[in-house]
Amino acid sequence: MEMALDQARAAGARGEVPVGCVIVREGAAIARAGNRTIADRDPTAHAELLAIRQAAAALGSERLADCDLYVTLEPCAMCAAAMSFARIRRLYFGAGDPKGGAVENGVRFFSQPTCHHRPEVYGGINESECAGLLRDFFAARR
């Protein structure tokens, strides 16, 4: 999660919402990204999607079945769906997101009967630090 926090801090320094993501396979980070929606002018450039794309390219496969994803904020529905399609093995996230999250909040994507693959989910990892990054970022903007 520390590597994901580093990615989140870098995203925040660029003016992006400070969310960071790392994908790990066999104990090694194979992809890492921070949000780039503003820089890329792309509403889908969430940290999770960028990292999933990197990992798939690195492995030469659209299936990431033996990979674990660490992200500083509870994933939204778009990112949860991408994790399901990629067959991510485990999801570790930091801060919960009552407004935009879709794992433990909102639509609870992985609990839906139409969800084809459900990763193991572990929330609250470094929660206070992850939440603090977001809180400080938005406080500075107000």
Side-chain angles (χ1 to χ4, degrees):
M1 187 59 83
E2 278 303 317
M3 287 187 276
L5 279 161
D6 288 342
Q7 293 296 313
R9 287 184 200 99
R14 294 189 309 269
E16 302 278 359
V17 174
V19 176
C21 180
V22 175
I23 296 179
V24 175
R25 179 177 184 241
E26 296 176 0
I30 61 167
R32 54 189 94 194
N35 274 0
R36 283 200 329 244
T37 59
I38 297 168
D40 292 359
R41 301 280 187 247
D42 179 357
T44 70
H46 289 197
E48 300 96 307
L49 289 183
L50 297 171
I52 286 170
R53 290 173 189 151
Q54 283 178 25
L59 298 178
S61 175
E62 74 283 4
R63 298 283 190 244
L64 306 176
D66 57 351
C67 295
D68 300 333
L69 188 146
Y70 294 78
V71 64
T72 57
L73 181 65
E74 178 183 355
C76 69
M78 173 180 68
C79 293
M83 286 176 220
S84 179
F85 293 138
R87 307 297 195 263
I88 293 290
R89 177 177 54 187
R90 293 183 197 105
L91 162 64
Y92 299 90
F93 71 86
D97 185 356
K99 186 174 180 182
V103 176
E104 291 183 350
N105 291 287
V107 299
R108 298 177 187 238
F109 186 85
F110 300 129
S111 299
Q112 299 303 314
T114 55
C115 180
H116 297 292
H117 171 77
R118 294 161 181 84
E120 293 175 35
V121 176
Y122 303 92
I125 312 298
N126 291 50
E127 183 174 18
S128 60
E129 189 173 0
C130 293
L133 262 178
L134 289 156
R135 190 172 36 256
D136 293 348
F137 176 82
F138 287 112
R141 296 219 175 285
R142 292 185 181 118

